[in-house]
Amino acid sequence: MAKDIYDPRTLIGSAIYTDDERYIGTVEEIGQPDLSLLAVESGVGVKRETPVPIMEALKLTLKVSGPGEALIKGFSKQVNESQKYFIRNDTTTARHDSIDVTAEGKVKVLKMPIPKAGDKIETEIEIALDVYIYMVNGTKHVEIDALNHIMSIGGKDLLAETRANL
């Protein structure tokens, strides 16, 4: 007898759109950015590293199936501006969490697909992020905006005082 298991971590029906709301493909794989703070070395006699509220550069990697023309256009138009991408769950049920990701930045790497007979056409991109927002079921868990000095993680704005002093 098969059991119906509640697994909110399952990637189901996720699609990627550009900033003008054009559908450009189905997300097959998401490499979320690592949230990592810089560290300074300190100590007298005993060396230690202390994290400081300065975020390492963020990158997001995606594997997208579908025609890659929109990704190529996004890569070509980013010379003077950043491209905004939205990753949305098209299938939200009581059994699966809705995960929305907003990623804005410049595409650093665009790996063109090498189609094989009978296989999906998949394009891989790596985005150097300026803005990253991660939401689950409509609740914002992470918001990082490097250009506007915003770093809100788990509802706590780590750079509020810094912005107030600017």
Side-chain angles (χ1 to χ4, degrees):
M1 177 197 261
K3 258 187 170 179
D4 201 12
I5 299 172
Y6 173 74
D7 187 359
R9 298 159 298 167
T10 305
L11 187 63
I12 294 178
S14 291
I16 183 167
Y17 302 86
T18 59
D19 52 356
D20 54 2
E21 294 296 321
R22 277 185 306 123
Y23 169 79
I24 59 174
T26 301
V27 176
E28 299 295 332
E29 191 175 307
I30 303 172
Q32 298 284 7
D34 294 331
L35 303 180
S36 176
L37 298 176
L38 292 175
V40 295
E41 291 183 0
S42 62
V44 177
V46 178
K47 183 176 162 182
R48 69 183 186 113
E49 285 190 350
T50 304
V52 293
I54 299 173
M55 188 68 69
E56 295 269 3
L58 297 176
K59 71 176 182 177
L60 179 95
T61 56
L62 294 170
K63 188 181 286 187
V64 179
S65 65
E69 291 83 15
L71 293 173
I72 295 168
K73 285 181 185 175
F75 185 76
S76 67
K77 79 175 206 175
Q78 69 177 359
V79 174
N80 296 320
E81 59 188 66
S82 292
Q83 179 76 35
K84 188 177 277 191
Y85 297 97
F86 301 99
I87 301 162
R88 295 203 175 102
N89 246 342
D90 286 348
T91 307
T92 304
T93 67
R95 307 193 70 70
H96 293 89
D97 290 340
S98 167
I99 297 174
D100 294 324
V101 174
T102 301
E104 184 175 344
K106 296 190 183 251
V107 177
K108 184 176 174 185
V109 178
L110 174 65
K111 292 184 182 178
M112 299 300 295
I114 301 174
K116 295 178 187 172
D119 285 352
K120 290 182 183 179
I121 297 174
E122 295 181 339
T123 305
E124 292 183 45
I125 61 172
E126 180 182 309
I127 305 167
L129 295 174
D130 295 326
V131 176
Y132 174 72
I133 300 171
Y134 179 80
M135 296 176 63
V136 178
N137 296 328
T139 302
K140 197 180 292 185
H141 289 276
V142 176
E143 179 180 13
I144 297 171
D145 185 338
L147 303 175
N148 294 308
H149 305 290
I150 297 170
M151 184 170 40
S152 177
I153 300 173
K156 183 175 181 182
D157 190 350
L158 302 174
L159 295 178
E161 189 176 324
T162 302
R163 275 194 318 278
N165 291 331
L166 292 177

